[in-house]
Amino acid sequence: EPEVTQTPSHQVTQMGQEVILRCVPISNHLYFYWYRQILGQKVEFLVSFYNNEISEKSEIFDDQFSVERPDGSNFTLKIRSTKLEDSAMYFCASTPQLGGANHEQYFGPGTRLTVT
Amino acid sequence: AQSVSQHNHHVILSEAASLELGCNYSYGGTVNLFWYVQYPGQHLQLLLKYFSGDPLVKGIKGFEAEFIKSKFSFNLRKPSVQWSDTAEYFCAVNAYFGNEKLTFGTGTRLTIIP
């Protein structure tokens, strides 16, 4: 069964450094998402992406964050200058549907980002 | 704006006990409803989903949930839990139309005692 994959599984970085989290969505999917989960808290939406542009972003997704689909398979989240509070598990998700009623999102295993 | 409430933060049960986890949502339009499970050290997995039709939906591993529109609720149930059900359970909602973001509840940690 096709899966969303994410790399790396764990990233440790120093405050102020740039990080890029990588995701490979399921190949025929059209919508892509990033979520994050700070330890002990709920999963929060960051951004959605369709047709090579951002569809929606949350308040968390400020100018330090960017997303890109550099080729036909990868979907990346870049944090330009990391802060301690960016430490979290970051999940990528994708969904195949363009409109319609079936909106199941398929999640990747996550990247644990630790900012020191 | 959408919101999801899960009132049980931590539930501890013995094996074979029955389970019901509460989920209430707030949204002005038609919604899709989901329950996700996160086993220790693993990623989010879909347990079950409701889009339309029969409000009683069955998912994997013997779980089911009932959508009660008048109560804005989507409670998760299982008649007899197993030790392997120990996990974090998240209720989530998104808008019925469009590929909308998921809004998650705070999660319920379920601990099953053998």
Side-chain angles (χ1 to χ4, degrees):
Chain A
E1 185 176 335
E3 291 182 337
V4 176
T5 60
Q6 290 184 243
T7 55
S9 57
H10 190 190
Q11 173 93 46
V12 181
T13 189
Q14 289 189 326
M15 196 167 52
Q17 295 296 304
E18 174 183 288
V19 294
I20 297 176
L21 309 183
R22 290 183 167 79
C23 168
V24 180
I26 296 173
S27 64
N28 63 342
H29 285 193
L30 299 174
Y31 273 77
F32 313 111
Y33 306 82
W34 283 101
Y35 294 84
R36 79 171 185 191
Q37 184 182 24
I38 294 172
L39 188 63
Q41 299 186 24
K42 66 179 176 180
V43 178
E44 301 173 288
F45 167 77
L46 291 178
V47 64
S48 59
F49 190 86
Y50 167 71
N51 200 25
N52 284 319
E53 58 184 31
I54 291 173
S55 302
E56 186 177 358
K57 59 184 181 181
S58 71
E59 295 170 352
I60 303 166
F61 195 88
D62 61 23
D63 293 344
Q64 293 299 313
F65 291 88
S66 62
V67 288
E68 195 176 36
R69 188 154 161 82
D71 52 43
S73 59
N74 289 284
F75 178 51
T76 62
L77 174 69
K78 182 194 290 187
I79 308 175
R80 200 178 345 267
S81 177
T82 50
K83 303 188 276 283
L84 293 176
E85 53 264 37
D86 294 327
S87 295
M89 182 74 90
Y90 288 81
F91 294 104
C92 173
S94 68
T95 184
Q97 297 292 330
L98 176 61
N102 186 344
H103 296 291
E104 178 179 347
Q105 293 180 22
Y106 296 79
F107 282 81
T111 293
R112 180 167 297 285
L113 176 65
T114 302
V115 182
T116 62
Chain B
Q2 302 162 357
S3 67
V4 178
S5 298
Q6 291 181 247
H7 310 295
N8 314 105
H9 297 294
H10 189 191
V11 173
I12 302 173
L13 293 172
S14 299
E15 275 192 309
S18 65
L19 169 72
E20 181 160 0
L21 301 182
C23 172
N24 289 90
Y25 70 93
S26 172
Y27 181 65
T30 306
V31 296
N32 303 308
L33 295 153
F34 307 84
W35 276 97
Y36 282 87
V37 61
Q38 188 175 32
Y39 297 103
Q42 296 189 28
H43 63 103
L44 290 162
Q45 300 174 39
L46 183 69
L47 265 182
L48 47 77
K49 61 193 177 191
Y50 173 80
F51 294 138
S52 63
D54 188 345
L56 183 63
V57 292
K58 295 192 184 300
I60 61 172
K61 307 188 182 195
F63 286 91
E64 64 178 32
E66 185 175 12
F67 171 48
I68 302 179
K69 190 175 180 180
S70 60
K71 295 185 178 180
F72 298 91
S73 70
F74 189 57
N75 292 354
L76 181 71
R77 299 194 292 248
K78 185 170 183 178
S80 177
V81 294
Q82 301 171 307
W83 176 79
S84 57
D85 294 324
T86 295
E88 188 100 19
Y89 292 81
F90 293 94
C91 182
V93 63
N94 70 2
Y96 186 79
F97 293 105
N99 289 78
E100 295 280 346
K101 64 187 180 190
L102 285 169
T103 299
F104 285 84
T106 51
T108 296
R109 184 153 63 100
L110 176 65
T111 301
I112 305 301
I113 301 169

